[in-house]
Amino acid sequence: MALHAALVPLFQAGMCGFALTGDLFNAFVFFELMSVVAYALTGYRAEEAKAVQGALTFGVINSPGAYATLTPGRWPPVCPRVWPTRWARPCSATSHCRAS
């Protein structure tokens, strides 16, 4: 129980640091801290097979999504004039909209 009580505030610190940081390097550091603690919290009860399986599944599914989130750029490229609307359309070959 003491480990769980230490991991939860550490996870919250990672989330707050990621949300409030001002530079990219610290965002990566806080994001990794948050991810590692999330994996540890998911598999907290290692004596149960379901907890270990859930932690491994969470790690395999969450890691590619997390790295894709931190990857610069976006796909498909979105036209800047359409970006604020609810449904953004991919860029076309018009002069006002160029893929970055």
Side-chain angles (χ1 to χ4, degrees), residues 38-39 42-44 48-61:
Y39 301 144
T42 305
Y44 175 66
E48 298 176 16
K50 286 187 176 185
V52 175
Q53 181 185 4
L56 290 173
T57 303
F58 176 68
V60 167
I61 291 174

Side-chain angles (χ1 to χ4, degrees), residues 74 78-85 88-89 91 94-98:
R74 55 183 188 253
V78 177
C79 180
R81 288 192 345 179
V82 187
W83 181 252
T85 62
R89 297 184 306 250
C91 280
T94 61
S95 62
H96 74 274
C97 186
R98 293 190 175 92

Side-chain angles (χ1 to χ4, degrees), residues 2-82:
L3 179 64
H4 187 270
L7 288 175
V8 171
L10 196 58
F11 182 72
Q12 290 177 340
M15 286 192 301
C16 290
F18 180 73
L20 299 175
T21 189
D23 63 353
L24 189 59
F25 176 77
N26 286 332
F28 276 106
V29 170
F30 284 120
F31 192 82
E32 287 299 319
L33 172 69
M34 185 174 54
S35 297
V36 169
V37 175
Y39 301 144
L41 282 170
T42 305
Y44 175 66
R45 295 190 173 144
E47 63 273 358
E48 298 176 16
K50 286 187 176 185
V52 175
Q53 181 185 4
L56 290 173
T57 303
F58 176 68
V60 167
I61 291 174
N62 193 46
S63 293
Y67 293 125
T69 300
L70 292 175
T71 304
R74 55 183 188 253
W75 182 258
V78 177
C79 180
R81 288 192 345 179
V82 187

